[in-house]
Amino acid sequence: MTNHRAIALVFAVHGAVAGTLSTRIPWLQEHLDLTPDVLGLILLCQPVGAFVAMPMAGRLAHRLGGRTATRLMLALWCACLALPALAPSPPWLAAIFLLYGMAAGTCDVVMNSQALVLERRLGRSIIAGLHGMWCVGSLAAGGVGVLAAHLGIDARVHLAVVSAVLLVVGGLAGRGLAANESSEGVPAPRRFALPSRAILAVGLVGFCGTFAEGASANWAAVYVTAVASAGPGVAAATYTVFMLCMAATRLVGDRFVRWMGAVAVVRGGGIVAVAGGVLVVAGRTPWVCMAGFALVGVGVAVVVPLVFAAAGGAGVTPGEGVAGVATITYLSGLIAPAVTGWAAGALSYPAAFAMITAIVAGMTLLAGALRPRPAGAVAQDRQLEPMAG
C-alpha cells in the first residue's frame, strides 16, 4: 500500500466512525429516555472535547512522531465508537462523548499533519481529495447504519462490530504510512498551541467556510420544510445532495488547486457559494432551495482542506499550524448551528441564510490569507510571540 493510499484510507476510516455513530443517535435517545434538551447538551460534549484537546495535538505528534501518533489516535477513535451504546446513564454518556470528541479532534489534527507532510513530499496538492475520502467513508458508513437501524439491529451490537472492523482496517492503513520523520533540530511545538497572528488570518477564512458548512448541514432539511413546504423525503434529499456535492467537489478539488492555486479556488468557490445562498434566500420552492444548497456545498467544499494546508506552512511544524487553525474551525462548527437557529427564531429562516451568505462573501474577500508565506516569516513570528506553554 502506497503512502497516499494509506493516508486516504485513514481519512475514510475517520469519516466512517463519525458516519456510523450519527445514525444511532435516535437509539441512544430512546434507550436512555433523553429529552431533546438533554440530548443537545450531551452532543455538545463532543465538539467541546475536540476544542480542548486539539491545541495539544501538535506536541503529541512531535513527541511520538506523525505516523505513530496517527496510528494511536485513529485506534482510540475507532475504539471509542463502541462506548456510547454501553453508557448506563446520561452523565456517563456525556463523559463518553467528551472522550469521543477529544479522540476525534486529536486524530483530526495528526492525520491532517501527516497528510501535509506527504503533500510536500509529492510536490502537489492532495489534501482536498483526502477530505473527499472522509466524506465517502462517512456516507458509506451512514448507509450501513441506516440499514442496521431499519433491520432493528441493537446499537450495542452494531457499534461494537463496526468498531472492531474499523480498528482492523485503520491498523492496516497505519502500517502503510510513511515512517516517522526525525524531529532532531526542530523546535518542539508549544504544549498548548494558541494560534499565531498568521494562523489567525488563515483561520478566519476557515471560520467563514466552516460556518456556512455547519449551518447548511444542520439546517438544510429544516429550511426547505419551513420555507418551501417540502415533504420529509425531499427534506432528507436536500441534506444528502448537499453532502454529495461536497464529497464530489473535494474528490476533484486538487486538480483545480494545481491549475489555479489555492487562493483562486477559494475565491471561485466563494462566488459559487454566494450564488447558492442567493437561491436559498430567494427561492420558495423545494427544488430551487435544493439547487441553492448544492451550490453552497460545491462552493465551501475545499475551504477547510486548503485552510489546513495553508496553516501547515504557517506554523513551526505542520502539527502546530493545523492544531491552531483546527481550533478555530471547530469553534465555528460549534456555534454555527446555534447562531443560525437564533437568527431564524428572531428574524426568519431566509434572514438567517442571508447572514450566512454575507459570511461566505467575507470568506471570498479574505482568501488572500492562504498565499504561501515567505521563507523565514514563520521563525520570525515564533521569536516575536510569547510562549504558551
Side-chain angles (χ1 to χ4, degrees):
M1 185 183 298
T2 65
N3 293 339
H4 191 175
R5 289 181 180 176
I7 194 65
L9 189 54
V10 167
F11 273 74
V13 169
H14 192 284
V17 175
T20 298
L21 184 60
S22 65
T23 63
R24 303 318 301 252
I25 298 299
W27 185 93
L28 293 173
Q29 183 177 18
E30 181 181 357
H31 181 66
L32 294 176
D33 194 23
L34 303 174
T35 61
D37 54 341
V38 171
L39 178 60
L41 287 174
I42 289 174
L43 294 178
L44 186 63
C45 291
Q46 178 183 345
V48 168
F51 185 75
V52 170
M54 274 178 158
M56 297 176 278
R59 189 83 173 194
L60 177 69
H62 180 83
R63 176 168 295 182
L64 299 179
R67 179 176 185 264
T68 302
T70 300
R71 296 182 68 183
L72 175 64
M73 297 314 302
L74 185 63
L76 178 60
W77 171 231
C78 293
C80 283
L81 176 61
L83 299 180
L86 304 178
S89 64
W92 275 103
L93 185 61
I96 288 169
F97 266 87
L98 190 67
L99 174 64
Y100 182 83
M102 295 176 73
T106 308
C107 185
D108 200 357
V109 170
V110 296
M111 75 184 192
N112 273 283
S113 303
Q114 188 75 356
L116 294 176
V117 170
L118 177 60
E119 184 174 87
R120 290 179 182 179
R121 189 176 298 163
L122 295 175
R124 56 187 174 88
S125 177
I126 62 170
I127 192 69
L130 295 178
H131 281 251
M133 289 300 299
W134 189 97
C135 293
V136 170
S138 180
L139 288 168
V144 172
V146 169
L147 179 61
H150 179 72
L151 294 175
I153 298 174
D154 191 291
R156 287 166 290 199
V157 175
H158 171 217
L159 296 186
V161 170
V162 174
S163 173
V165 170
L166 293 179
L167 270 170
V168 173
V169 176
L172 293 174
R175 292 176 61 183
L177 297 175
N180 292 329
E181 293 191 335
S182 174
S183 60
E184 186 177 350
V186 178
R190 290 162 286 188
R191 290 182 178 85
F192 193 88
L194 295 175
S196 66
R197 286 188 294 270
I199 291 174
L200 280 173
V202 173
L204 188 56
V205 179
F207 183 95
C208 295
T210 305
F211 195 100
E213 178 183 336
S216 298
N218 283 274
W219 286 96
V222 176
Y223 186 95
V224 296
T225 301
V227 175
S229 301
V234 175
T238 301
Y239 167 78
T240 302
V241 167
F242 172 79
M243 291 302 298
L244 286 173
C245 285
M246 284 198 62
T249 304
R250 284 178 171 175
L251 289 172
V252 301
D254 290 311
R255 298 179 184 178
F256 290 94
V257 175
R258 296 166 199 160
W259 173 39
M260 302 168 61
V263 174
V265 168
V266 171
R267 282 182 176 157
I271 293 170
V272 171
V274 167
V278 170
L279 283 181
V280 169
V281 173
R284 292 296 181 270
T285 64
W287 303 111
V288 172
C289 291
M290 184 185 291
F293 280 113
L295 289 177
V296 173
V298 170
V300 302
V302 298
V303 174
V304 170
L306 295 183
V307 162
F308 279 6
V316 175
T317 65
E320 181 172 334
V322 171
V325 82
T327 303
I328 298 171
T329 58
Y330 258 68
L331 175 62
S332 177
L334 180 63
I335 68 174
V339 171
T340 303
W342 295 334
L347 301 170
S348 67
Y349 285 107
F353 274 86
M355 172 194 71
I356 293 165
T357 303
I359 290 173
V360 173
M363 176 195 79
T364 306
L365 298 175
L366 296 169
L370 303 187
R371 289 192 180 93
R373 304 198 67 208
V378 174
Q380 184 178 10
D381 286 348
R382 184 66 178 266
Q383 293 172 355
L384 292 175
E385 293 175 359
M387 298 296 285

